[in-house]
Amino acid sequence: MKAMFRCGAGLAVLAFTLTTNADVTVPAPGASARIDAIKKAGVLRVGVLANAPWLVENTSGSGETWSGPAWLLANEYAKRLNVKLEAVPVSHETKVPVLASNQVDISVTPLAETPDRLKVVDFVIYSSTSVCMFGLASNKKFASAKSVDDLNKPEITISYYTGGGEEGWVKERFPKAQLRGVAGSGVAPVEEVLANRADAVPINRVPWVAMGRKLKQLAVLPKDNNCQNSTEKAAPVGMAVDKNQTAFLSWARAVEKELEPKLKADEARVVDTMK
């Protein structure tokens, strides 16, 4: 009896292992009204608005129109549902409301998860956005810093764009540093560093890769993986579905989890090609 029990337990573990390692099962008919509707229509409608590196639009007139991890994931959803994928153009104003109005099934244009958005949609998170700090590699004050924390000192001057997305974060993150707000627009006030008016400047982790490649005299913090793993001012990024679709949302999240390594690799590929 003990041997039979051990054998049965072993088979149960094996069955569980095979189940968890297999592709995520599509909810059965009746479990998700959204999936039933998608299958009946034969089309998965996705809202698209370019936002590199997650969703990239090819306007050359040749080749695939869309690419990036968000498109990769959308294609996988369509493939597993055995339907066609239809891109529905949206704007910054409509990329969330199109879900409630049932104009799309998923808004795959990359969206930052915020408390306000969570009131009206649910998210399938596949990435994040964050901030890096860069300065001249020859600047002893910047070069001696081992982490972003080391920049929070009275002898460090940090520049940022007044009214920019990083202004509030800079003031909160570096209360001991000398802060220098400057007028302008763009990815970052790099001229402040190049002219030695600032020791450090914040920049989103994505455009940093191209800037660092172009301006070899710059260095970045955090140093690990060229700052691409930064958790500074981090915000989850993903695609959105309308509220109250538990089975659909759970399935979509499970598929994303299964594809996570491919999605991260594709994002890294796009970031590396950005200019």
Side-chain angles (χ1 to χ4, degrees):
M1 289 293 291
K2 289 182 180 180
M4 290 176 65
F5 177 80
R6 286 195 296 269
C7 181
L11 290 173
V13 170
L14 177 60
F16 175 78
T17 302
L18 291 173
T19 300
T20 54
N21 288 341
D23 286 346
V24 178
T25 303
V26 176
S32 167
R34 174 66 61 178
I35 289 179
D36 290 347
I38 292 169
K39 286 190 170 184
K40 183 178 180 179
V43 175
L44 174 64
R45 304 163 301 162
V46 296
V48 293
L49 179 63
N51 188 354
W54 304 289
L55 185 61
V56 181
E57 185 177 10
N58 173 16
T59 58
S60 68
S62 61
E64 293 291 330
T65 304
W66 297 97
S67 62
W71 193 247
L72 182 66
L73 184 55
N75 266 289
E76 187 66 20
Y77 288 150
K79 177 183 175 182
R80 297 191 184 200
L81 293 174
N82 195 29
V83 297
K84 295 180 180 179
L85 184 62
E86 179 184 332
V88 179
V90 296
S91 67
H92 289 292
E93 293 73 26
T94 64
K95 60 189 178 184
V96 173
V98 289
L99 292 164
S101 60
N102 195 32
Q103 296 178 57
V104 301
D105 302 299
I106 310 175
S107 189
V108 304
T109 182
L111 294 166
E113 184 185 78
T114 66
D116 284 342
R117 284 175 176 164
L118 281 171
K119 294 176 183 178
V120 294
V121 297
D122 287 313
F123 279 83
V124 179
I125 299 298
Y126 58 82
S127 186
S128 65
T129 183
S130 59
V131 169
C132 307
M133 298 297 294
F134 70 86
L136 286 172
S138 59
N139 182 331
K140 292 183 179 180
K141 287 189 286 185
F142 188 87
S144 64
K146 304 300 181 184
S147 68
V148 174
D149 289 332
D150 292 336
L151 299 177
N152 188 28
K153 297 177 180 179
E155 61 268 28
I156 298 290
T157 298
I158 297 174
S159 284
Y160 58 90
Y161 280 136
T162 303
E166 288 81 25
E167 180 175 5
W169 174 78
V170 166
K171 292 178 178 178
E172 182 179 339
R173 184 69 173 85
F174 306 104
K176 297 179 182 179
Q178 301 298 313
L179 305 182
R180 177 182 165 84
V182 297
S185 61
V187 296
V190 62
E191 64 281 354
E192 290 289 296
V193 164
L194 298 178
N196 290 305
R197 292 190 293 266
D199 301 302
V201 163
I203 186 173
N204 183 278
R205 71 169 179 86
V206 174
W208 156 253
V209 175
M211 181 179 287
R213 187 186 301 124
K214 182 184 298 183
L215 301 175
K216 302 293 186 181
Q217 65 268 46
L218 299 180
V220 71
L221 291 171
K223 298 178 182 179
D224 182 52
N225 192 27
N226 197 22
C227 190
Q228 294 309 288
N229 297 334
S230 172
T231 58
E232 299 291 339
K233 199 179 182 293
V237 171
M239 51 183 61
V241 301
D242 200 19
K243 281 286 188 182
N244 303 316
Q245 300 184 102
T246 305
F248 182 44
L249 178 64
S250 297
W251 173 76
R253 285 175 172 173
V255 172
E256 183 282 326
K257 195 67 178 176
E258 189 177 281
L259 264 66
E260 193 172 275
K262 291 183 179 179
L263 301 178
K264 290 186 180 299
D266 199 45
E267 178 182 322
R269 175 193 64 78
V270 177
V271 169
D272 194 53
T273 61
M274 292 176 67
K275 298 179 180 179

